[in-house]
């Protein structure tokens, strides 16, 4: 009987074992490669997903608060056209101009509240909202003065104050933010009522009343403007003092 030597048998089984180990290693490498590919594909954001995300971020600008601000901006040229229609002294056209001005003032009350309440604050809104406020009020004042219904010095005082305070806010923003005061809100309301009464072709005691309302608006404009200047000076001094103290502490 012919037998297989033990060494040969051992060598044969060792070869089979080696081939099995190699196959197992190849399989493991294949699984690792596949899982790595899956992981890479899963971790990578698809091109379409990036575009969709960008579209969502862009769409966030088109919220209710910003749309109201855009409406107010669009109302400015419409208001001017209605105000100056038919020579600027037609009661019917002036009434339509008043309606446009009233809508603009009402949207001014709501857009900021909606943005803060529902977290709709955007960079566009921060820039466009004050521009829209100044644009509609400035257009109304210039039209009224151009038509001879309102002295030019009143327009100069109100617009000068508004533009000056806006510039002042930007100058001291490195030290902090000047919050809106109750006096400033009352000033805005009084200005809106006074200008709205001048836009309407009022006569008699209503014409006299609007004079005093405008006088109150001018007084509030000046007083609140001076108060903002005071706050800006205090804020700047505090900011400089805090920076100096921080610098000394750092050097120490």
């Amino acid at each position: 009987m012919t037998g297989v030597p033990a060494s040969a048998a051992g060598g044969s089984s060792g070869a089979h074992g080696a081939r099995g180990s190699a196959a197992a290693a190849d399989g493991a490498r294949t699984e690792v490669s596949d899982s790595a590919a899956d992981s890479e594909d899963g971790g990578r954001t698809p091109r379409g997903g990036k575009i969709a995300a960008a579209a969502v971020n862009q769409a966030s600008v088109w919220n209710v608060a910003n749309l109201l601000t855009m409406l107010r901006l669009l109302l400015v040229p419409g208001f001017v056209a209605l105000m100056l229609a038919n020579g600027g002294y037609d009661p019917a056209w002036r009434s339509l101009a008043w309606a446009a001005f009233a809508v603009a003032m009402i949207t001014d009350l709501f857009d900021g509240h909606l943005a803060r309440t529902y977290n709709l604050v955007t960079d566009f809104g921060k820039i466009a909202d004050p521009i829209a406020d100044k644009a509609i009020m400035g257009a109304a004042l210039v039209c009224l003065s151009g038509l001879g219904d309102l002295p030019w010095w009143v327009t100069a005082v109100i617009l000068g104050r508004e533009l000056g305070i806006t510039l002042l806010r930007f100058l001291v923003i490195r030290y902090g933010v000047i919050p809106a005061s109750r006096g400033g809100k009352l000033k805005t309301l009084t200005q809106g009522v006074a200008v709205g009464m001048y836009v309407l072709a009022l006569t008699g005691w209503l014409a006299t009343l609007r004079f005093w309302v405008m006088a109150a608006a001018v007084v509030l404009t000046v007083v609140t403007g001076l108060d903002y200047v005071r706050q800006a000076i205090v804020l700047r001094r505090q900011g400089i003092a805090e920076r100096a103290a921080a610098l000394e502490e750092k050097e120490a």
Side-chain angles (χ1 to χ4, degrees):
M1 184 173 63
T2 304
V4 178
S7 60
S12 175
S13 62
H16 285 296
R19 283 195 296 271
S21 299
D26 290 338
R29 282 196 296 270
T30 303
E31 289 182 3
V32 170
S33 176
D34 292 341
S35 62
D38 292 340
S39 175
E40 185 178 358
D41 291 339
R44 183 187 299 117
T45 303
R47 187 187 183 107
K50 291 183 178 180
I51 296 175
V56 170
N57 291 335
Q58 184 65 24
S60 64
V61 176
W62 300 91
N63 58 60
V64 177
N66 286 344
L67 289 176
L68 290 176
T69 301
M70 294 177 196
L71 174 62
R72 196 157 69 256
L73 285 169
L74 293 175
L75 283 173
V76 174
F79 166 80
V80 173
L82 293 171
M83 190 71 181
L84 301 179
N86 199 19
Y89 299 101
D90 190 321
W93 288 108
R94 293 282 285 261
S95 297
L96 293 175
W98 176 87
F101 181 80
V103 170
M105 291 293 100
I106 292 173
T107 58
D108 183 31
L109 296 176
F110 284 104
D111 59 357
H113 174 72
L114 289 174
R116 291 186 297 270
T117 303
Y118 297 101
N119 195 25
L120 301 176
V121 178
T122 62
D123 291 336
F124 171 81
K126 293 177 183 179
I127 297 173
D129 183 67
I131 292 176
D133 297 342
K134 306 299 184 293
I136 189 66
M137 183 60 69
L141 290 169
V142 170
C143 286
L144 289 171
S145 294
L147 294 171
D149 293 341
L150 191 67
W152 276 106
W153 69 266
V154 174
T155 296
V157 168
I158 294 177
L159 291 185
R161 185 267 188 199
E162 299 301 328
L163 296 177
I165 295 303
T166 300
L167 178 61
L168 187 63
R169 286 177 181 271
F170 280 111
L171 290 176
V172 300
I173 196 170
R174 69 181 68 177
Y175 305 110
V177 177
I178 303 176
S181 62
R182 292 183 179 179
K185 295 178 181 179
L186 180 61
K187 178 270 306 177
T188 302
L189 177 61
T190 308
Q191 280 183 1
V193 173
V195 172
M197 294 180 72
Y198 268 86
V199 170
L200 288 171
L202 300 178
T203 58
W205 68 272
L206 288 176
T208 303
L209 177 62
R210 73 181 183 182
F211 170 83
W212 291 108
V213 176
M214 181 59 76
V218 171
V219 171
L220 287 172
T221 297
V222 174
V223 171
T224 56
L226 294 175
D227 182 60
Y228 273 116
V229 172
R230 179 192 63 80
Q231 291 186 59
I233 294 174
V234 172
L235 185 62
R236 181 177 181 274
R237 288 177 178 174
Q238 291 177 347
I240 293 176
E242 290 176 357
R243 288 188 176 185
L247 184 60
E248 291 179 358
E249 183 179 353
K250 183 178 181 181
E251 291 178 350

